[in-house]
Amino acid sequence: MARRITIHQTISSIRKASNALSEKSVGFVPTMGALHDGHLSLVREARAKNDVVIASLFVNPTQFGLNEDLDKYPRQFERDAELLEQFGVDHLFAPPTNEVMYGAKHITYVDPQGFDEIPEGIKRPGFFRGVATIVTKLFNIVNPTRAYFGQKDAAQCCLIKRIVEDLNMDIEVCVLETVREDDGLAMSSRNAYLSAEERAASPIVYQSLCAAQEKFADRKSDLTSTELKDAVVAKLNSEPLVSEIQYVSIDDTETMRPIDIVGDTGAVVSLACIVGSVR
C-alpha cells in the first residue's frame, strides 16, 4: 500500500509529529516547491536512508530582494504534494502564509558573516541572511537526522554546513550531485521563465563550466583562477543570447572564498549570467 502523506500547515502540528519520531531517523528535504527531478532525487535518497521522510514547501520571502521574482515564483501546491506522496514522503510542512514563519513581532535573523561579500551575495544583498534564517528555523522545527540539498546551489550548501557546525546542530547535511536535463541544463524551478529561444541557448551555462573542468583536467601544473575564468567567459561569449555575464567566481571548495591558485584539490566554479532576459 502506498504511503499517505500528512500535510501540516502550522509549526505546532509538524513539531508534534516530529517529536513523536525520537526513536527513528528522519530525513528532511526543504523546498520552495515547483518540484522537478532534482528535488525528487533528494527525496529518493532521503527515503532510502531514513525511517521517516519530511519535506517542506515554503517560498521564503526573506531570501528575495527588491525587484526579484517573489511574486511570480511558480507555485503549484497540489501537484507538488501529490508528487511528494508518490515518492514516499510521510509528512509535508507547508505554511500557507508568511506569517506562520515570520510573525508580526519577528525581529531575529541569522546573519552569516562574509557571505554578502562573495559575488552572489554582492548581486543579491541579504539573500544569504534569508537562507540562513529560514534553514535554521526549519531545522529547529523539524529536528531531522539528515537534511538533503542539491550541489547546484554550492554557496548555499557551504553556508548550511557552516550553520550546522557553528551552531552545534546534530544534523548530517547531505549534498547530492546536480540533476541535469539531457543537454546539460541544471534542473531548476526558474527554468519555467525561459522562452523557447532562451531554453535552446541555456545549455551554454553548463558548457562554460565544462570548459573550466577541461582546462583543469588538462593542466600540467597549478592553474591560476584567471585561466579558469577566461575559459568560462570565452565559452559564454560564444552564445549571442548571453547578454550579460554578472560574475565568474573561482572559490575554495569548503569556504566559498575566492582563491588565486587552483591545485590538485580543485575549486568551485560558479557564475551568473543573463540569457535573453532570464538570470
Side-chain angles (χ1 to χ4, degrees):
M1 175 182 278
R3 295 172 186 267
R4 295 289 295 175
I5 195 169
T6 302
I7 297 172
H8 306 265
Q9 294 189 321
T10 65
I11 292 172
S12 60
S13 176
I14 187 62
R15 182 169 275 158
K16 181 179 179 181
S18 178
N19 288 344
L21 302 171
S22 59
E23 300 301 317
K24 296 183 178 181
S25 62
V26 176
F28 178 46
V29 183
T31 83
M32 293 206 303
L35 303 181
H36 51 69
D37 283 350
H39 296 111
L40 298 176
S41 72
L42 305 181
V43 174
R44 255 189 234 102
E45 182 70 7
R47 181 72 276 162
K49 297 293 176 62
N50 299 277
D51 299 322
V52 176
V53 177
I54 299 176
S56 65
L57 198 165
F58 179 63
V59 181
N60 175 41
T62 65
Q63 68 190 71
F64 289 79
L66 291 175
N67 303 315
E68 289 193 0
D69 58 338
L70 175 61
D71 291 338
K72 71 173 186 177
Y73 193 88
R75 293 164 170 85
Q76 42 198 33
F77 174 78
E78 290 184 4
R79 171 188 171 276
D80 289 343
E82 183 177 324
L83 275 173
L84 291 171
E85 183 172 68
Q86 289 174 8
F87 277 77
V89 170
D90 300 288
H91 298 274
L92 171 61
F93 178 42
T97 65
N98 294 337
E99 287 70 27
V100 172
M101 296 302 293
Y102 300 99
K105 298 180 181 179
H106 187 280
I107 60 169
T108 304
Y109 294 85
V110 179
D111 195 359
Q113 297 301 298
F115 278 82
D116 276 349
E117 298 162 15
I118 67 175
E120 184 70 1
I122 293 169
K123 280 293 181 183
R124 303 180 70 188
F127 168 72
F128 288 106
R129 184 182 84 150
V131 171
T133 300
I134 192 61
V135 169
T136 301
K137 288 166 76 73
L138 288 169
F139 282 178
N140 284 337
I141 292 165
V142 174
N143 192 27
T145 311
R146 302 177 184 90
Y148 294 82
F149 300 90
Q151 192 178 44
K152 173 173 69 72
D153 302 310
Q156 290 185 59
C157 293
C158 176
L159 169 62
I160 291 161
K161 288 179 178 179
R162 282 258 52 88
I163 290 170
V164 167
E165 183 172 341
D166 292 350
L167 300 184
N168 308 111
M169 297 180 177
D170 188 19
I171 300 170
E172 180 184 349
V173 177
C174 305
V175 178
L176 274 62
E177 289 189 11
T178 302
V179 177
R180 299 183 179 279
E181 305 285 359
D182 290 342
D183 58 8
L185 178 65
M187 292 189 177
S188 169
S189 302
R190 288 184 168 98
N191 289 351
Y193 300 160
L194 295 165
S195 69
E197 184 182 18
E198 291 164 344
R199 175 63 187 84
S202 58
I204 194 66
V205 175
Y206 177 59
Q207 293 164 18
S208 71
L209 296 174
C210 289
Q213 186 179 45
E214 290 167 8
K215 185 82 174 177
F216 178 74
D218 293 341
R219 74 194 186 285
K220 303 300 182 187
S221 60
D222 291 350
L223 294 172
T224 66
S225 60
T226 300
E227 290 176 286
L228 288 181
K229 286 181 183 179
D230 288 348
V232 172
V233 169
K235 193 65 179 180
L236 289 172
N237 282 335
S238 72
E239 171 50 62
L241 272 187
V242 175
S243 56
E244 179 186 352
I245 301 173
Q246 294 186 338
Y247 67 80
V248 176
S249 189
I250 313 298
D251 301 313
D252 182 89
T253 56
E254 293 186 2
T255 67
M256 290 301 293
R257 293 313 214 178
I259 55 177
D260 296 323
I261 302 296
V262 182
D264 291 341
T265 57
V268 175
V269 180
S270 59
L271 67 92
C273 66
I274 307 295
V275 178
S277 62
V278 179
R279 184 178 192 267

